[in-house]
Amino acid sequence: MTPTLAQDIRDAAALLATATDVTILGHVRPDADALGSALALGRALRQRGADVRVSFGEPDEAPETLRWLDEDGLLTHPDDLPDTEALLVCVDTPVPKRLGRLAGRVELAGAVLVIDHHATNTGYGTCNVVDETAEASAILVFRILDELGVELDEPIARGIYAGIVTDTSGFRRARPETHRMAARLLAAGVDPEAVVRRIVDERPFAWLPMLSSVLSEARLEPEAAQGRGFVHAVVRLAAARTVRAEEVESVIDVVRSVREAAVAAVLKQDPVTPGQWQVSLRSKGIDVSAVAAEFGGGGHRQAAGCTVAGSAEEVLAGLRDALERAPLL
């Protein structure tokens, strides 16, 4: 940990130590890192006597696979949030835009704490704990809780573990320090098999025909992405209608396994605005955060996303062009 990051963590802990009313926000369509981190932090702050709410801009409900992490009923619909808050905490969110309809709360809050591990983070908080070398935002939340002197219980540990295990692809990209953190979480009572099974492994039967339909039209372009290979698939509304949002999100994990492609993309038709596509990008050697940034998105160098308007063919054409300009890793 750098001296600057250590000081940022101390500053964040000092801010949270005196907080009595806190709203914690994750990004739109929250994943296990955003929601697990927010709920773990929220539970710890509630145990310290603060009034705490956890929310996100869309969809209206948390993914079914993640709701069980909310041990304390902290999840709050955006319409039920107060007009402003003395302290707003934004977790795993590099820019206010990723808060969706809640982005305007950043300017209204008395203080804003940003906890994030994206390289594209703009430092929009009044206090920022940002470390792009951290494999998950949950790791930074863990460090802040340590600085606060919070004693881990199983629900807090479970939320942090959920963020780490998913953002490290099952610890395949975890550093030794992260494994040591995981050991502490297990010692606090986390059942690792249950967490992975409920969040990652279990799928409804409808997932199989959806996946079959989508993968039957997947395409590999060996010469694209600067000759490193580009594989892509499209999830249209008709295919997604029978499954939950988390099943649609999981398609990228299948597509990215193609050996012949350095870059994988999945285009998911937006259910609210069918003329837009939510794009997930994964890479094994090209900076896809730079590609996503060209379309107003962002993320990590090897995992990023954006939302693009147009036909699927137009979006894919734009991605091909951007990949030819993207920095190599």
Side-chain angles (χ1 to χ4, degrees), residues 93-148:
T93 305
V95 293
K97 181 180 178 181
R98 287 284 287 149
L99 295 169
R101 57 176 158 165
L102 300 180
R105 305 186 73 85
V106 171
E107 293 185 1
L108 298 175
V112 179
L113 170 60
V114 173
I115 306 172
D116 186 37
H117 71 133
H118 292 89
T120 52
N121 192 285
T122 58
Y124 59 94
T126 54
C127 180
N128 299 284
V129 178
V130 178
D131 179 14
E132 65 176 278
T133 69
E135 300 98 313
S137 293
I139 289 172
L140 300 174
V141 170
F142 197 172
R143 290 173 173 166
I144 292 170
L145 294 182
D146 270 352
E147 185 67 29
L148 273 170

Side-chain angles (χ1 to χ4, degrees), residues 264-277:
V266 171
L267 278 60
K268 299 155 290 184
Q269 194 168 20
D270 193 298
V272 178
T273 310
Q276 289 188 337
W277 300 86

Side-chain angles (χ1 to χ4, degrees), residues 10 25 30 32 41 111 187 202 219 221 230 251 272 290 306:
R10 287 192 291 271
L25 301 181
L41 179 60
E202 288 186 343
R219 295 292 178 266
E221 301 179 24
F230 177 39
V251 174
V272 178
C306 53

